[in-house]
Amino acid sequence: MDLLKPVSSRFIRHVLLLTCVLTVVIGLSIGCDGVKISHFHENGVVASVSPIASQVGEQIFRQGGNAFDAAVGVGFALAVVHPQAGNLGGGGFALARDGGNGHIIALDFREKAPLASTEDMYLDNGGGVVEDLSSLGALSAGVPGTVAGLHALWKEYGTLPWEDLVTIAAKMADTGFIVDEYLAGSLADYQDQLSVFPETESLLLPGGKVPGVGEQLILSDLAATLYLIAAEGSEAFYNGFIADSIVACMAEHGGLITAEDLQQYQVMWRQPVHFEFDSLDIYSMCPPSSGGIVMGQILKLLEPYDLSRYFPDSPEYMHLFCEASRLAYADRSIHLGDPAYYSIPGRLLSPEYIDERRKLIPVDHAGSSDAIEAGSPLKYESDETTHFSVCDKHGNMVSVTTTLNATYGSKLVVSGAGFLLNNEMDDFSIRPGHPNLYGLIGGEANKIEPGKRMLSSMSPTLVLKDDKPLLVLGSPGGSRIITTVAQAIVGFSRFGLSLEEIVSQPRFHHQWLPDVVYLEEEGFFVDKIQALIKYGYHVQERSKYGDLQLIHITAEGLMHGASDPRRGGAVAGY
Ligand code: GLY
């Protein structure tokens, strides 16, 4: 009997896995636009940028998996179907609530600077910044953390076999998946950059062409890599064939990541940033992400104002939000970095400090930022990170933001292993005062040092009320992630917006430098824009940004979600 048991359970597992893969593949081949706003579910919900990935999560719930199992399956699925930002070669952060004991944890799987990195590695002999060096190709890549991160999450909290969860993605890469209009459009937009490296072109632009909508994209090398990770765990990524391929890629293209860098990579379990806003408990990411602290400052600065008498597009509210953002992002540039390398002041969220800073908010006119080498993020427009939110009937909540940094990261695929490498090194302050891809300025706290984690803006967030799950949310958007999530929370708590309204509301952003309010194009009426200009703001319209993935849990424990209309995402659950 005992001898038969493992055989039969393995058989059942394989039947279940096959069912899952078939369901997802059949669902896709009949064309799955996905549900943007879900109805209520009892068991579990996933919101992500990809209908395919969200469906993977739903199937994992149907097989009895919990929110952590679903998050792992979704994370690997995104590495296949959303190559713009889903990844094996990048990093990220997760905020999670263990429904069993109510503990809330933060998991840091951020990339690290290779050990051979130096402070001036992107500068020429005269101290000038060499164009593209920190953002294109092998030298821009940090040591990846995603595979270790998803494995750590599963090891601590998962219930289904790791092999099964990863194999779903491996099979999708192996048999191919249907290219939707968002991927086809994105590949067309980036065709020139993706053609710079032949290994990238042959993976994502087979035959040198952008795959058409509805075509099948097969990623064989990526499938082999995923099967290896499925069979051997995260070890397979940091030692052996995959690690050797990364090191060979570095040798060929002039990068710095060594076998030692990969072997030494470790995730960090951290204490999340926690603060109260209204009667809500908000948990978000701590350094090396700036997300939790900057969001906490913005919301705490705003808290005493009676915002509910305004609307989300009222100039009065936008003025207050921009001034709070100006103060918080100014602190970001000076005070935040990897806590292992820089001593972060402990009182950035203390009530006394926030009260003191609030006095700097002018009542009826725009403040002014110091104009030191202000950058122009509009020049670049690369905010491709991705976020997914998951929760289940056990009270587990998982909020994951993961990234390659720019869209398709460094644009360099690891030959033979089939995945893109990040260009996360650009998130360091590569020279004091020099703006990064998002126009953010930094200094000493975020300078390049060997083994250091670069400062992030990613803000996976959980909201609880009276110790009960309430919201799981997050977004991509580079420096704009923080204001996107903060505006969602204000929208929920002060303006009483529905989930649909929260993900749809037009966004605005101020980040101290450059001293500009960015407004989403076509989002604001002319009279509102004129009112902001009258306050003294420099206003610029820009393309739509962010991709909120939001789940709300009712007091009865029912779950429903909303996926941002700006991109092709979907909510799935049952
Ligand atoms: N790479 C974007 C961020 O981490 O904020």
Side-chain angles (χ1 to χ4, degrees), residues 100-323:
N101 55 21
H103 290 167
I104 299 197
I105 57 93
L107 178 63
D108 165 357
F109 52 98
R110 181 70 161 162
E111 299 93 325
K112 295 175 69 168
L115 294 169
S117 307
T118 55
E119 196 178 336
D120 56 1
M121 63 191 275
Y122 300 115
L123 306 184
D124 60 24
N125 290 340
V129 172
V130 182
E131 199 177 345
D132 286 345
L133 211 53
S134 67
S135 58
L136 185 70
L139 199 61
S140 68
V143 184
T146 294
V147 178
L150 292 176
H151 193 259
L153 212 52
W154 169 81
K155 201 162 173 223
E156 196 65 26
Y157 301 108
T159 57
L160 295 185
W162 166 261
E163 190 178 355
D164 294 3
L165 299 173
V166 185
T167 300
I168 300 167
K171 282 198 192 298
M172 286 194 312
D174 201 4
T175 56
F177 63 94
I178 305 286
V179 173
D180 64 16
E181 60 175 299
Y182 294 94
L183 179 54
S186 164
L187 289 169
D189 287 347
Y190 284 84
Q191 186 170 11
D192 288 350
Q193 293 179 51
L194 296 173
S195 304
V196 169
F197 300 107
E199 42 280 74
T200 309
E201 186 177 57
S202 74
L203 183 82
L204 294 173
L205 304 167
K209 287 197 313 231
V210 175
V213 177
E215 272 180 34
Q216 191 100 350
L217 186 60
I218 295 176
L219 305 170
S220 305
D221 285 349
L222 178 59
T225 293
L226 284 163
Y227 282 128
L228 210 54
I229 295 169
E232 296 176 16
S234 63
E235 252 317 282
F237 188 87
Y238 296 94
N239 280 291
F241 172 77
I242 304 171
D244 293 347
S245 303
I246 295 173
V247 174
C249 173
M250 293 292 126
E252 189 183 342
H253 292 282
L256 297 183
I257 300 172
T258 61
E260 189 187 359
D261 280 309
L262 291 161
Q263 281 155 16
Q264 283 189 6
Y265 185 84
Q266 286 194 330
V267 303
M268 306 288 287
W269 294 98
R270 298 188 186 273
Q271 278 298 319
V273 169
H274 169 239
F275 59 93
E276 286 173 18
F277 176 69
D278 298 342
S279 56
L280 308 176
D281 282 295
I282 304 199
Y283 296 86
S284 193
M285 195 61 214
C286 54
S289 178
S290 59
I293 291 178
V294 175
M295 192 197 313
Q297 285 200 349
I298 294 172
L299 291 176
K300 295 306 282 183
L301 285 163
L302 290 175
E303 197 171 28
Y305 295 99
D306 181 11
L307 302 178
S308 55
R309 63 197 175 109
Y310 306 127
F311 292 100
D313 65 346
S314 299
E316 295 87 347
Y317 161 60
M318 292 171 75
H319 159 64
L320 292 171
F321 193 100
C322 286
E323 292 308 317

Side-chain angles (χ1 to χ4, degrees), residues 33-99:
D33 284 340
V35 174
K36 283 282 177 201
I37 314 289
S38 80
H39 53 81
F40 291 94
H41 295 281
E42 287 175 9
N43 295 284
V45 172
V46 180
S48 86
V49 69
S50 156
I52 303 177
S54 294
Q55 238 182 323
V56 166
E58 178 190 332
Q59 290 306 320
I60 290 170
F61 281 133
R62 286 186 185 277
Q63 288 164 29
N66 67 13
F68 295 95
D69 296 316
V72 170
V74 171
F76 281 108
L78 287 170
V80 178
V81 299
H82 187 61
Q84 299 97 311
N87 67 82
L88 301 183
F93 301 104
L95 255 282
R97 176 180 192 265
D98 176 348

Side-chain angles (χ1 to χ4, degrees), residues 207-507:
K209 287 197 313 231
V210 175
V213 177
E215 272 180 34
Q216 191 100 350
L217 186 60
I218 295 176
L219 305 170
S220 305
D221 285 349
L222 178 59
T225 293
L226 284 163
Y227 282 128
L228 210 54
I229 295 169
E232 296 176 16
S234 63
E235 252 317 282
F237 188 87
Y238 296 94
N239 280 291
F241 172 77
I242 304 171
D244 293 347
S245 303
I246 295 173
V247 174
C249 173
M250 293 292 126
E252 189 183 342
H253 292 282
L256 297 183
I257 300 172
T258 61
E260 189 187 359
D261 280 309
L262 291 161
Q263 281 155 16
Q264 283 189 6
Y265 185 84
Q266 286 194 330
V267 303
M268 306 288 287
W269 294 98
R270 298 188 186 273
Q271 278 298 319
V273 169
H274 169 239
F275 59 93
E276 286 173 18
F277 176 69
D278 298 342
S279 56
L280 308 176
D281 282 295
I282 304 199
Y283 296 86
S284 193
M285 195 61 214
C286 54
S289 178
S290 59
I293 291 178
V294 175
M295 192 197 313
Q297 285 200 349
I298 294 172
L299 291 176
K300 295 306 282 183
L301 285 163
L302 290 175
E303 197 171 28
Y305 295 99
D306 181 11
L307 302 178
S308 55
R309 63 197 175 109
Y310 306 127
F311 292 100
D313 65 346
S314 299
E316 295 87 347
Y317 161 60
M318 292 171 75
H319 159 64
L320 292 171
F321 193 100
C322 286
E323 292 308 317
S325 301
R326 187 198 304 277
L327 292 168
Y329 278 85
D331 270 3
R332 181 195 193 277
S333 76
I334 307 291
H335 294 307
L336 298 180
D338 182 342
Y341 289 73
Y342 187 80
S343 175
I344 296 172
R347 303 184 58 73
L348 289 170
L349 284 173
S350 75
E352 301 78 17
Y353 180 66
I354 296 289
D355 287 347
E356 200 56 40
R357 295 286 279 174
R358 194 180 298 108
K359 290 182 192 148
L360 300 175
I361 296 181
V363 180
D364 55 2
H365 64 274
S368 157
S369 306
D370 288 338
I372 39 155
E373 290 190 314
S376 171
L378 294 179
K379 200 169 124 198
Y380 300 100
E381 293 302 327
S382 53
D383 56 359
E384 202 55 83
T385 292
T386 193
H387 178 86
F388 52 99
S389 296
V390 193
C391 64
D392 68 22
K393 63 181 174 191
H394 308 295
N396 295 315
M397 307 163 82
V398 191
S399 185
V400 181
T401 314
T402 179
T403 189
L404 291 165
N405 194 21
T407 311
Y408 303 103
S410 66
K411 319 291 185 284
L412 177 60
V413 161
V414 177
S415 189
F419 60 86
L420 283 154
L421 286 168
N422 68 82
N423 62 349
E424 217 70 61
M425 291 294 284
D426 190 74
D427 269 348
F428 278 116
S429 170
I430 60 176
R431 197 188 64 188
H434 182 80
N436 74 0
L437 284 175
Y438 307 104
L440 290 167
I441 309 283
E444 186 69 16
N446 191 32
K447 70 180 185 194
I448 303 172
E449 294 179 76
K452 186 175 181 179
R453 285 155 145 93
M454 56 294 285
L455 186 61
S456 171
S457 299
M458 290 189 280
S459 313
T461 298
L462 305 178
V463 180
L464 284 88
K465 189 170 167 58
D466 302 329
D467 278 339
K468 287 202 175 135
L470 184 68
L471 300 175
V472 187
L473 74 164
S475 173
S479 57
R480 299 171 288 271
I481 292 173
I482 304 168
T483 50
T484 297
V485 176
Q487 283 164 26
I489 292 171
V490 176
F492 179 87
S493 181
R494 293 291 176 97
F495 299 133
L497 302 183
S498 67
L499 296 201
E500 185 169 10
E501 288 167 333
I502 292 170
V503 295
S504 311
Q505 65 175 326
R507 297 185 179 131

Side-chain angles (χ1 to χ4, degrees), residues 562-573:
S563 183
D564 201 308
R566 291 164 183 77
R567 297 194 196 179
V571 185

